[in-house]
Amino acid sequence: GAVVSQHPSRVICKSGTSVKIECRSLDFQATTMFWYRQFPKQSLMLMATSNEGSKATYEQGVEKDKFLINHASLTLSTLTVTSAHPEDSSFYICSVLGEGYEQYFGPGTRLTVT
Amino acid sequence: LAKTTQPISMDSYEGQEVNITCSHNNIATNDYITWYQQFPSQGPRFIIQGYKTKVTNEVASLFIPADRKSSTLSLPRVSLSDTAVYYCLVGEVGGYSTLTFGKGTMLLVSP
């Protein structure tokens, strides 16, 4: 399957600042990537679908102006959390859609907003 | 969307075979069944995917009865490192429901 990396693995930022999370597909050209958020002891929640070369599709309740997604190439999608607040603290995970339509996930990014 | 129901948790011991069943009574004709494993603070890992009968890979087996209203993930001879949350997802290939995670099953393997 596809190998997916994320950077950084952990980030701490102050309230009001922005933080960018990178998701890279290392060995697979990913037309479609997904961004999830996972709060402690909860399941994954889909935030948005990222399509290479076009605008992301956001799930209901996810603010597109707060969670900026850019998918400029077949190997890189970025999620920028703008004006972060403590309630944005979470585990953010990206995934790549494989050829069989299974997903391959990145290792996740732990965001803590102080 | 095909809704899935899994046990919240299961306990097992090292060396035993573990079977986790997922109910999906309203599975559609074009739906596939996909299982993922997630360790704490890690992204999920694809385990296996199937449509009907039995699928086996180096990690697990997936049993799907003829009516496809349920499926069973079978983990042979589990070890402590198999302690994780296991998610069953059902949906059309590329469809939205394949992106929707339920609560999953927390498997605890003890010595």
Side-chain angles (χ1 to χ4, degrees):
Chain A
V3 178
V4 182
S5 70
Q6 281 185 241
H7 177 80
S9 58
R10 290 176 177 271
V11 59
I12 301 173
C13 70
K14 292 186 177 181
S15 186
T17 62
S18 297
V19 61
K20 180 185 288 187
I21 302 170
E22 294 185 348
C23 175
R24 292 184 183 274
S25 177
L26 301 181
D27 58 353
F28 183 79
Q29 293 193 322
T31 304
T32 304
M33 292 185 176
F34 303 97
W35 286 96
Y36 289 84
R37 179 167 52 181
Q38 186 174 33
F39 293 106
K41 298 190 183 303
Q42 294 187 23
S43 188
L44 284 79
M45 292 174 49
L46 180 67
M47 298 177 67
T49 300
S50 172
N51 297 300
E52 187 267 336
S54 64
K55 291 183 178 180
T57 303
Y58 291 83
E59 295 303 301
Q60 189 173 7
V62 178
E63 300 175 55
K64 63 179 181 180
D65 295 329
K66 180 172 182 61
F67 298 98
L68 303 179
I69 292 174
N70 183 280
H71 191 160
S73 77
L74 291 172
T75 60
L76 174 65
S77 176
T78 60
L79 168 67
T80 301
V81 183
T82 62
S83 187
H85 291 283
E87 57 265 32
D88 297 323
S89 297
S90 188
F91 191 53
Y92 292 86
I93 312 169
C94 69
S95 72
V96 165
L97 197 60
E99 293 179 340
Y101 292 96
E102 68 278 14
Q103 293 184 72
Y104 297 97
F105 290 85
T109 297
R110 176 76 59 191
L111 170 64
T112 303
V113 184
T114 61
Chain B
L1 300 178
K3 183 178 178 180
T4 61
T5 303
Q6 302 176 234
I8 296 294
S9 63
M10 293 183 68
D11 295 322
S12 184
Y13 293 96
E14 283 188 292
Q16 290 190 334
E17 177 185 76
V18 171
N19 296 307
I20 305 175
T21 298
C22 179
S23 297
H24 28 81
N25 290 319
N26 60 341
I27 189 169
T29 302
N30 295 331
D31 286 348
Y32 278 71
I33 301 156
T34 309
W35 285 81
Y36 295 91
Q37 174 193 56
Q38 186 181 28
F39 299 113
S41 297
Q42 294 187 28
R45 180 175 76 111
F46 169 78
I47 300 175
I48 198 165
Q49 184 178 74
Y51 182 80
K52 63 180 180 180
T53 62
K54 176 184 175 182
V55 180
T56 298
N57 60 23
E58 64 277 7
V59 177
S61 294
L62 179 59
F63 298 93
I64 306 168
D67 65 5
R68 303 201 325 125
K69 294 184 182 298
S70 67
S71 59
T72 299
L73 174 72
S74 181
L75 305 173
R77 298 178 297 283
V78 294
S79 63
L80 297 178
S81 62
D82 291 317
T83 293
V85 178
Y86 293 82
Y87 296 98
C88 163
L89 277 71
V90 174
E92 185 173 340
V93 169
Y96 182 80
S97 57
T98 60
L99 310 172
T100 305
F101 282 75
K103 297 183 185 301
T105 298
M106 175 64 217
L107 172 65
L108 176 61
V109 180
S110 300

